[in-house]
Amino acid sequence: RKARAYFSNIHTMLDNQPNYGALMTSGMIQDERSKVTVMTNWETSIVSQKEGTIQVVLRSGKDADNAHVEEFTIRVITEDRNVLHDKMTEATISSFAKLMMMDFVGPLETYYVAEAE
């Protein structure tokens, strides 16, 4: 049997977490070879009820809890699991994932695509 693990709200493990980090949700699944992290810019439910899947509950932007959200954004980070440093029993954030999380909460640049008229 292959070992698998799910960890919730791993963005709270970041050093110097911004104040608005509480308005986010994240989840990570991993097996012996890979890790997948999903982050949202709103408070929601991210669960792994079935092996190898992550479910993100989408709610209306009109919900009172999500009134602050102008755009709903989801970031998915996929990476190989480092068997020397990553343990199956605890969440560890790689330097790559940490950089991607920090960019998600405080991007250096943002690009928008407009429809052609």
Side-chain angles (χ1 to χ4, degrees):
R1 184 129 171 93
K2 295 179 180 178
R4 290 176 172 77
Y6 169 73
F7 304 99
S8 62
N9 289 321
I10 63 161
H11 69 278
T12 59
M13 296 172 55
L14 293 176
D15 297 332
N16 302 322
Q17 180 186 350
N19 292 335
Y20 52 88
L23 303 176
M24 297 175 47
T25 310
S26 63
M28 179 179 73
I29 59 173
Q30 67 181 20
D31 63 15
E32 63 278 348
R33 294 185 301 170
S34 59
K35 295 195 281 190
V36 176
T37 304
V38 175
M39 301 177 66
T40 66
N41 69 335
W42 75 96
E43 289 182 288
T44 189
S45 175
I46 297 179
V47 295
S48 178
Q49 296 178 340
K50 188 175 174 185
E51 210 170 88
T53 64
I54 292 182
Q55 296 174 332
V56 178
V57 176
L58 301 176
R59 297 183 181 136
S60 168
K62 297 175 185 174
D63 290 346
D65 291 344
N66 296 322
H68 68 282
V69 181
E70 293 179 19
E71 293 181 359
F72 290 92
T73 306
I74 298 174
R75 174 163 288 182
V76 178
I77 305 167
T78 60
E79 57 187 323
D80 293 333
R81 192 173 77 82
N82 184 327
V83 294
L84 295 175
H85 298 102
D86 297 339
K87 298 178 183 175
M88 284 302 295
T89 56
E90 62 185 56
T92 53
I93 301 175
S94 69
S95 57
F96 170 75
K98 183 176 181 177
L99 181 64
M100 293 296 102
M101 288 180 195
M102 294 304 291
D103 180 65
F104 183 74
V105 298
L108 294 176
E109 295 182 88
T110 304
Y111 299 93
Y112 295 95
V113 177
E115 293 183 30
E117 294 184 23

